[in-house]
Every structure is written in structure tokens, then in C-alpha cells.
Amino acid sequence: MNAYLTGIIAGLALGITAMAENTNTFQGSVELPDVLRAKDGKVIQSLSDWENIRKPELMKTFTEQMYGVMPGKPESIEYTVFESSTNAMNGLATRKQIAIKMKNAGKETSVDLLLYVPNGQKAPAPLIMCLNFKGNHATTDDPAVKVCEKPIHSDRKEPYARNEAAERWPYEMILKRGYAIATMCHGDIVTDSKGPMNNYVFSLFPELQDRPDNFTAIGAWAWTISRALDYLVTLPEINPKQLTVVGHSRLGKTALWCGANDPRFTVVISNDSGEGGAALSRRMQGETIADLCRNFPYWFCKNYQQYVGHDKEMPFDQHELISLIAPRHVYVASASEDAWADPEGEFTSLKLANPVFKIYGVQNALPADTMPEIEKPVHGYNGYHLRAGKHNIIAYDWGNYLQFMDEHFGRTQK
Ligand code: GCU
């Protein structure tokens, strides 16, 4: 048995202890890697050992084994505001549409960024960044928003209808609370399809493909959020200290990976991200690694394939991904009818990140001993809720995120 495996088994003790102390919600027994035990067996007790030993080690593991390497900045990147109005949404907001044009290795691609900033603010606004699935134009009935013409999936040639995804985008509620919001379509970055990984942003970095820790779709989505942020933080109307990344489902997996990589995000929110996101793989509830690798191999790097059928022996697990975001705030949400995403596994991984937050001096970051009941959100330093209903992101979820951000950005509205 190698030292690391011994660490895992020892980690079982921590997992069970943590469970016994804080919750008894685990169904059956699951062995989990110990987030505070380094590969060489060293028990991590200090902030400096966490930051200098364990955190870099975990970052390397998630990069090499799961989400793949990310490039640095491209040789050239230009941000061009191609449309704007100070009178969007009946005067509620200022709209800007920005083309992010990137060139590298003789190739170029462009991604459209849509930004709404609330009007009449006395101070720079906190910013929410959230990728969308169907095109910026599908998030709103605002007729000025440019239609995403690129094929988002290889089998989807036609653009989606304007406003088709509006249920997921309660812009008015967000803007009226004083938040700016920016979005890009994930399929404008790289297509969300199996097949050659050489389109759009992938085309800029061909050298990152033929390797076991290749640049992945989740990597490309996360990387491009950071490239958009490079620009957004230069705007005087945006508060660069109050930045949130949110994502739903595969884009929730992306939000967590983006948050782990980009320390500028103060709050990281995973909505129903499930397997490969917030949910613990070792529980094998709902989706498994085999399902992910069969249906969406391009989300993860080639190395990840080796874990198919070995979920229960994973040498790392998703509570360790969440730990990489500490000491920044993390919010995880689930939906009661979303067994595929394993709500309990999502809750538990957030809970099991508490020891790392404690190293930063935050006691009981997620103050919940057991899985919260439906629509009884827990908002501590970190947050969790279980919404009634299906896999989705709707006003109930956004309302909780706004409340949580208000609390941490000192904007509490009673
Ligand atoms: C599928 C997939 C999930 C993913 C979801 C989504 O259900 O199995 O892993 O989160 O799609 O992105 O909507």
C-alpha cells in the first residue's frame, strides 16, 4: 500500500469523525481522502503548510487528473464595445456588449460578453459572472442583444430563440438589488460536443491537446471567464473586490474550477453542479465517472478516464476542490428532484471543506450539522440550500444568492 493510499485510509477516520461531529447524513460508509493530509502523509495543521504544501499539491492533482491544464494569456486580446445603451431595461441598467477578440499561434477567435450595470448607483457595483447555455440573446427579450450564431453544439446549427432561457435569468431582480451581471455563452467559447477539440478558443492552443492533461471544455469555459474578468475589473462602475462567479450544472462545475483558479472571485456559487462539480464521486449516487466520461469526455482531460469504474478508490474527491477556494466564500445549491446530481453529496463535500476554512480562522464555515430541509437555506460563511423541484436555476436560487452576497458584501437588506 503506498503512502498516499495509507493517507486515504487514515482520511477515512477524519471523514467519519467529521460526519459524527457534524452530521450523520452519510448513507452507508464512504471512505474519503483527507483534505488535510499531504501525499507524503504529513498532517497539515498550519496555514503555511496548507498554502505551501497541500494546496499546490491538490491544485496540481485537479489540473493533471481532472480539468486539464490552462493556458496563460493569449498573444493578443482586444476588448471592443460594439454596442451600448444607458437606457436598457426601461432605464434600469446600462448595457454594454463587448467582443473579446483573442489571437494566438496564428489563429483568432472572438467571444461576445453581455454586461448590464444598474443605473443610479452611488458606488461601483458588485459583479456577478455567469455563463449561459443558449446564447446571450436567449437570456433576455432585450432586442438589442446580439444573437449567438455559432453552433453551440455540433448538432445544433440554428441559433436558439431570443428569451428562450429567460426563466433562468431574473435580470430585473438582480439589477434592482444593485448588482451588475455579465454573461457569455459557453458554446461561443468552445462547442459543447464530443469530437475534435480544435474549435474557437481551443484553436488558439493546439499544443495543449495531445497530452494526458489536455486543455478541456470546462477549462476553456473557466479560462475565458477569467479573460472577461480581466476587462471587467478595469471598469470604474464595477467593484473589483466584490466579484462572484455562478454556474448551473456543467457550468456549476466550471464555476468551481474557475473559482479555484482565479482568486479575484470573492464568492463562488455552484448551482446543481453534481458529479464532477460539488458532488462527492466516492458516494456513487446518481451520475458516476463512467457516465461523465462516456457522455462528456471533452469536459475532462484524458487522465480522468483512468478513474472510470474506480469511483470508490478516487485518490482525490470534490470536497478538496471546494477547499481550494478557501478562504473565499462558497455557496452550493441542490434541487430536491435532482438525484442525478446527488444533493446529499453536494452538501457533504461543502461541509467537509470546513477544516480548511478553519485553518484560515473561520469556525464552522458551513454551520449545518445535518442536510438542511427543503427550502431552509443555511447561510454562514459558506452557504447551502436545497430547493424544491427539478434540476434548474430559477428565481428562488438567485434570491438566495443575492441574500448571501448582500450579507458578505455588507449590503444586508432587512
Ligand atoms: C447532464 C450531465 C451532468 C450535467 C448536466 C448539465 O445531466 O450528466 O453532469 O451537470 O447535464 O450540465 O445540465
Side-chain angles (χ1 to χ4, degrees):
M1 193 184 284
N2 68 28
Y4 193 39
L5 203 52
T6 315
I8 294 169
I9 304 300
L12 166 62
L14 179 109
I16 300 289
T17 312
M19 284 297 128
E21 243 175 42
N22 302 322
T23 132
N24 47 20
T25 56
F26 253 7
Q27 293 165 343
S29 66
V30 174
E31 297 176 6
L32 284 171
D34 180 350
V35 66
L36 290 181
R37 186 177 292 262
K39 281 191 179 178
D40 66 2
K42 182 180 167 79
V43 176
I44 304 297
Q45 287 171 314
S46 67
L47 183 55
S48 80
D49 278 357
W50 166 256
E51 293 208 323
N52 297 317
I53 301 173
R54 185 61 173 150
K55 186 176 175 186
E57 179 176 287
L58 282 170
M59 200 62 212
K60 188 167 183 288
T61 298
F62 280 102
T63 302
E64 290 179 353
Q65 302 298 312
M66 193 165 179
Y67 302 108
V69 285
M70 301 239 244
K73 295 196 181 171
E75 284 157 16
S76 118
I77 184 159
E78 274 170 32
Y79 302 91
T80 309
V81 179
F82 64 85
E83 192 278 338
S84 68
S85 163
T86 53
N87 193 29
M89 307 224 170
N90 297 320
L92 183 61
T94 292
R95 179 186 61 242
K96 281 188 186 164
Q97 298 187 75
I98 303 109
I100 307 178
K101 193 194 252 188
M102 295 173 271
K103 290 190 191 158
N104 207 65
K107 294 275 195 270
E108 69 177 72
T109 195
S110 183
V111 178
D112 291 336
L113 173 67
L114 169 64
L115 170 69
Y116 289 108
V117 180
N119 284 333
Q121 298 292 304
K122 293 193 195 78
L127 172 75
I128 300 168
M129 290 204 67
C130 184
L131 296 185
N132 67 73
F133 286 81
K134 295 186 171 177
N136 296 346
H137 67 283
T139 68
T140 171
D141 61 2
D142 181 342
V145 176
K146 187 180 158 197
V147 173
C148 179
E149 306 274 1
K150 277 186 198 159
I152 292 172
H153 308 276
S154 52
D155 55 356
R156 172 91 201 184
K157 303 286 182 241
E158 295 302 309
Y160 287 92
R162 189 176 291 288
N163 208 30
E164 183 169 328
E167 182 197 29
R168 292 185 171 178
W169 295 88
Y171 281 123
E172 269 198 38
M173 172 169 104
I174 294 166
L175 292 160
K176 283 185 175 157
R177 288 280 281 263
Y179 288 77
I181 177 156
T183 187
M184 299 176 284
C185 178
H186 78 322
D188 196 11
I189 298 170
V190 295
T191 58
D192 193 356
S193 300
K194 282 188 202 175
M197 293 166 74
N198 56 8
N199 56 76
Y200 315 158
V201 164
F202 283 145
S203 73
L204 307 178
F205 305 102
E207 75 285 2
L208 295 184
Q209 282 312 323
D210 191 18
R211 46 191 284 174
D213 58 350
N214 57 298
F215 188 31
T216 62
I218 287 181
W221 296 328
W223 180 85
T224 307
I225 294 174
S226 291
R227 298 296 69 78
L229 192 64
D230 296 341
Y231 166 78
L232 292 167
V233 293
T234 67
L235 301 178
E237 60 268 37
I238 300 298
N239 183 339
K241 296 212 158 45
Q242 299 186 340
L243 304 171
T244 295
V245 58
V246 189
H248 168 62
S249 209
R250 67 199 68 186
L251 301 179
K253 308 183 210 297
T254 302
L256 290 171
W257 183 232
C258 179
N261 279 279
D262 194 330
R264 293 172 296 181
F265 284 109
T266 350
V267 176
V268 177
I269 302 178
S270 146
N271 190 91
D272 302 1
S273 63
E275 182 77 8
L280 292 167
S281 300
R282 282 190 173 217
R283 278 170 51 85
M284 291 198 78
Q285 302 287 319
E287 192 168 24
T288 62
I289 297 174
D291 295 319
L292 280 178
C293 289
R294 185 178 55 255
N295 299 321
F296 310 102
Y298 56 98
W299 290 355
F300 303 97
C301 66
K302 295 185 192 97
N303 270 337
Y304 193 55
Q305 302 272 347
Q306 68 189 291
Y307 301 107
V308 169
H310 297 289
D311 311 49
K312 284 190 186 284
E313 299 120 52
M314 284 296 284
F316 56 94
D317 212 328
Q318 301 305 102
H319 59 307
E320 299 179 313
L321 172 66
I322 291 175
S323 302
L324 290 173
I325 301 166
R328 292 162 294 128
H329 302 278
V330 184
Y331 195 118
V332 171
S334 314
S336 64
E337 293 170 32
D338 190 15
W340 186 240
D342 185 16
E344 201 170 340
E346 295 179 314
F347 164 76
T348 308
S349 64
L350 178 60
K351 180 77 192 158
L352 289 180
N354 274 9
V356 175
F357 286 85
K358 194 167 171 201
I359 284 208
Y360 284 98
V362 180
Q363 304 293 329
N364 214 11
L366 182 71
D369 291 338
T370 52
M371 175 90 178
E373 285 168 35
I374 293 177
E375 300 193 355
K376 294 263 169 26
V378 175
H379 289 187
Y381 190 87
N382 289 337
Y384 178 84
H385 72 250
L386 176 65
R387 175 177 48 74
K390 295 196 179 9
H391 185 73
N392 204 354
I393 178 167
I394 57 173
Y396 176 84
D397 302 301
W398 283 106
N400 275 288
Y401 303 149
L402 290 167
Q403 176 65 31
F404 182 78
M405 288 184 282
D406 276 357
E407 286 157 14
H408 293 293
F409 295 160
R411 302 169 64 86
T412 310
Q413 315 189 341
K414 294 271 178 214

